[in-house]
Each structure stands twice: as structure tokens, then as C-alpha cells.
Amino acid sequence: MSGIFVVLEEREGRVSRISWEALAAGQLLATQSGEPLTAIVMGASTQQLANEAAAKSVSKVIRVEHPLLARYTSDGYTVALQQMIQKLAPPQVVVFPHTYQVRDFAPALAARMNEVLISDVVAIDNGPVFTRQLLQGRLAGNYRHQGSGPCFISVQAGAFRVEEPGTTSNAAEIAAFTPNIQPAQIRTKPGEPFRGSAQTVDLGSAPLIVSVGRGIKEADNLPIVQELAAALGAELAASRPICDNGWLPMERQVGSSGQTVSPKLYLAVGISGAIQHLVGMKGSQCIVAINKDPDAPIFEVADYGIVGDLFEVVPALTEAVKAAK
Ligand SMILES: Cc1cc2nc3c(=O)[nH]c(=O)nc-3n(C[C@H](O)[C@H](O)[C@H](O)COP(=O)(O)OP(=O)(O)OC[C@H]3O[C@@H](n4cnc5c(N)ncnc54)[C@H](O)[C@@H]3O)c2cc1C
């Protein structure tokens, strides 16, 4: 077995952001092992995706193309990838982004090859040793691959920085692989692809974010964080309970079922730091947390922590920001 494969996913005709994060994880593995890195794109017509991938620091791009891959199906993807892995020199590691689609088919692909999927990887050490979070992030588990086939992993959103996939001026070689898929092998009928509602707030590109959690207690208290956000020139975001309660619109939710953000500054106010929230913001360059509980998990990812009552700390911070301007 040789080489590292990264299977990229498409979103509205372009390689998705979390796929670039998976590629960054693949580049880390390739650097650690000295193995070549191959990006895989899949579909009925993949030229555009292949060109995007070939411009990154990869040794090769493989277009896995077939008319029956025009729409995603678990069977189609499983059959196509299994054939490709078995026909070409099998890779040491196959990396996927941890998306709903990957959760749907990658465990089946791994099982067909007598392997398991090490899912939701948040860090990779030499070895390679893959780290996953357990018990809502309270424990970290380290995993080594011991099977005789390729090691299959999926990487969690936000765990590997999207800036990391280096680009190159020389486009990588692009090869094609045509799997042999029969219509009868596809047991599901794909529906219309899911499309998220149009978002008017793009938290993903905001450089400064003030994010508020249940510590704010009630909607009437929101103006104190809105004032801080205004003083900093920051976007306002929230944890899920705030949006579930309708105190702020859903499009301002950060986390696994909200937006993934990576601002220069993420100021978390009264947010405990549940894993579903952390996956959406831990790629931020600087995290500041205000929480009255010194043991709140948010402090584990915070660069700066203020243990205190947000109703005292936030107004004081707003005044300090205004005074500094
Ligand atoms: C499938 C699924 C998907 C999910 N998706 C998301 C998601 O996308 N985003 C998300 O955020 N959550 C998500 N969740 C919910 C998540 O598990 C947590 O419940 C949620 O993040 C908790 O929000 P919180 O931190 O605001 O509230 P809490 O956990 O209640 O924390 C409130 C914090 O405020 C602090 N606090 C209280 N009073 C004060 C005060 N006066 N001053 C300072 N600090 C104070 C407390 O110490 C506490 O740490 C999801 C859950 C599931 C099951």
C-alpha cells in the first residue's frame, strides 16, 4: 500500500470548503509519511472539480466518472470507490471530510474492505495516530490503524485549517478512472439535492464575531452583547439555544447544525462549549471566552478566558473598547 487519497466533495459545482480541510489533513499525512497525495473527485462530469484540485499541492488528481454518479447515491459511491481502490495501488490512508454524505457511505465502503472508518478525526500525529473526541468532548481517544487494507478516516469540520492546503503553480497530473456500475446495483432513487436556505449573513467570512449563549438568560438582555459587537465592529452570532428560542435568526447559529466560522477573533459570551458548538468555531484564530464557570469546556479551546459574570464583564468591555477608539 502506498500513498494518501483524499476524496473531495462537491457543493454547487465547486469543491466544498470542508473538502479543502480534508485535503489539508491529507497533506499533513503525506508530509509525515513522505507518501504522494492524490485527490479524488467523483461525478458524471468532473473536469471543473479536477482542475480546482490540480491547482493545490497534490501529486495527482483522479476523476472517478460515470453517468450513474451524476447524483450521489450510497451504492454508486461505494461501488465506484471500492473498484478504484482495488484496481489502483491501494493507498495507506483514505481521507474523507466528515459530512452527512460521507457518514452515509464511507462506513459501508470500509466494511466491504474488512476495515472500519475512523470517523470525526480532530488531530493527526506521527505514526499516524488519529485523535477523536469521546463523551461530548470530555475525553480524547487515540487510534492507530492495524488492518491489512487501507485505513479510512473522516475529519471533523474545523479541525484542519482551510488555509493549509498549499497551492502550486504547476498543476498536478489528472487521470481518469471509469468504474463499472450497473443500474441494478443502485438500490435508491436520488431526490433533489438538499439546499440550505439562502443566508443573508455570511458569518464564514466575518473577521470579528461576538457570539452569545444561554448565559444571557433572556432575549431582553441581548442589547448588552449587541452593543459590544457594535463597538468592536463585529458580527453577532449565537449558540443553538438562542436561535432555537427565536431570540436571534437561525442564520446566526454557529456549530455543527449552524455555520462554521474562522474569524480572527471569536468572543464567546455565556457559552458552555458543547462539542456541537466547538466544531463550528474552533478554527478561529483567537478565541476569548467569558463564563462564570471556571470549568466550562469553552476554556479548553480559548486563548484568553475571563471567569466572571457576563452582566458585569460585557458592559465594562464595551466601555473599554469605546474608550480605546
Ligand atoms: C444534533 C445536535 C446538533 C447541535 N448543533 C448545535 C449547533 O450547531 N450549535 C450549538 O451551539 N449547539 C448545538 N447543539 C446544542 C449543544 O449540544 C448545546 O446544547 C449548546 O451548544 C449549549 O448552548 P450554550 O452554551 O449557549 O448553553 P449552555 O450549555 O446552557 O451554557 C450556558 C453557559 O453560560 C454560562 N453562564 C450562565 N450564566 C452566566 C453569567 N451570568 N455570566 C457568564 N456565564 C454565564 C454557564 O456557566 C454555561 O457555561 C446541538 C445539539 C445536538 C444534539
Side-chain angles (χ1 to χ4, degrees):
M1 291 187 297
S2 68
I4 312 293
F5 282 7
V6 179
V7 181
L8 304 178
E9 208 168 273
E10 166 267 350
R11 196 158 182 187
E12 290 169 1
R14 306 293 307 268
V15 174
S16 68
R17 179 190 167 95
I18 183 175
S19 294
W20 293 134
E21 295 176 5
L23 193 70
Q27 284 174 338
L28 177 64
L29 280 163
T31 307
Q32 286 174 353
S33 62
E35 292 287 335
L37 178 65
T38 301
I40 315 291
V41 292
M42 304 183 68
S45 170
T46 58
Q47 184 66 56
Q48 157 75 23
L49 299 174
N51 289 345
E52 276 187 65
K56 303 288 179 186
S57 288
V58 297
S59 314
K60 192 173 174 179
V61 178
I62 300 180
R63 300 169 58 182
V64 179
E65 249 185 44
H66 193 285
L68 288 172
L69 297 176
R71 288 263 183 91
Y72 165 77
T73 60
S74 172
D75 287 329
Y77 270 49
T78 307
V79 169
L81 281 174
Q82 186 180 6
Q83 285 181 12
M84 186 205 65
I85 290 168
Q86 284 172 338
K87 286 221 173 105
L88 307 177
Q92 283 182 2
V93 185
V94 183
V95 184
F96 297 96
H98 192 72
T99 60
Y100 287 115
Q101 187 169 298
V102 163
R103 274 174 248 193
D104 186 42
F105 79 90
L109 170 68
R112 279 185 186 211
M113 302 188 74
N114 290 322
E115 294 291 333
V116 294
L117 174 73
I118 304 175
S119 62
D120 236 349
V121 167
V122 295
I124 301 172
D125 251 335
N126 256 325
V129 176
F130 303 105
T131 305
R132 306 177 64 231
Q133 291 179 321
L134 306 169
L135 299 172
Q136 298 268 328
R138 287 187 176 80
L139 289 178
N142 290 333
Y143 296 75
R144 269 177 201 275
H145 174 249
Q146 289 197 318
S148 54
C151 168
F152 294 91
I153 69 161
S154 65
V155 297
Q156 194 178 87
F160 297 87
R161 277 184 192 264
V162 82
E163 292 80 9
E164 283 168 28
T167 51
T168 166
S169 47
N170 299 326
E173 173 202 349
I174 300 178
F177 177 82
T178 308
N180 178 10
I181 314 176
Q182 302 305 320
Q185 287 175 291
I186 298 187
R187 296 166 295 175
T188 49
K189 191 166 174 287
E192 279 300 313
F194 170 77
R195 290 196 196 290
S197 56
Q199 281 173 341
T200 50
V201 186
D202 181 13
L203 294 178
S205 55
L208 304 174
I209 293 179
V210 172
S211 194
V212 57
R214 197 147 44 187
I216 196 72
K217 303 222 173 4
E218 52 191 69
D220 287 350
N221 296 330
L222 280 174
I224 69 162
V225 278
Q226 281 161 334
E227 250 188 77
L228 176 58
L232 283 166
E235 280 289 352
L236 190 63
S239 66
R240 180 165 163 169
I242 302 300
C243 301
D244 278 353
N245 284 341
W247 298 352
L248 285 175
M250 283 296 179
E251 62 195 5
R252 294 204 179 259
Q253 180 182 318
V254 168
S256 60
S257 46
Q259 296 204 45
T260 300
V261 300
S262 48
K264 286 189 182 141
L265 172 70
Y266 189 87
L267 185 48
V269 180
I271 294 177
S272 59
I275 183 66
Q276 294 90 356
H277 188 80
L278 297 186
V279 298
M281 46 65 79
K282 67 182 183 199
S284 307
Q285 285 174 34
C286 178
I287 298 171
V288 179
I290 303 169
N291 198 303
K292 67 177 184 184
D293 174 5
D295 296 322
I298 191 79
F299 288 128
E300 283 166 31
V301 296
D303 299 285
Y304 299 94
I306 302 168
V307 178
D309 185 341
L310 73 87
F311 295 101
E312 291 170 15
V313 177
V314 172
L317 204 52
T318 308
E319 286 315 311
V321 171
K322 284 183 183 166
K325 276 192 169 173

